[in-house]
Amino acid sequence: MASPPADDQDSPAPPRRERPSWLIDVAVALLLLVADAVIVVVAGVLLLAVGLGTAQPSHSPRPVQSRDTPVLTWFVVWGVPAVAAMGAFVHARLRMPVTAVVQGLFTLACAFLAIAWTRMLLS
């Protein structure tokens, strides 16, 4: 059996990234948890305010109107969960499990809010 060329024998194995320390992982997770909580609360309050502002009283007849929702609104409503999912994926690839779990939960909260916003915008 022939031996591999000398160039292959001298080349080192590709360097493997070291996992960040648990302290850094938990610190980043806590910072993101606070930021994510603020985002979810603001989105929930806006959902409530916009929903109550556009609600029709039950005793008045509902006027027939066409409300076209701008495309930018749909990009924001469904873009935030997509960006949150990418953040969870990136943190998982960086081998930061605590942060990845926090971002995964934020993704679920964003998806729930996006569904609520979509229902409100389509009604």
Side-chain angles (χ1 to χ4, degrees), residues 4-12:
D7 294 334
D8 288 344
Q9 290 177 354
D10 295 334
S11 65

Side-chain angles (χ1 to χ4, degrees), residues 66-90:
S66 171
R67 294 187 330 195
D68 290 333
T69 306
V71 174
L72 182 61
T73 303
W74 293 114
F75 280 135
V76 170
V77 167
W78 287 103
V80 172
V83 169
M86 282 193 315
F89 176 76
V90 166

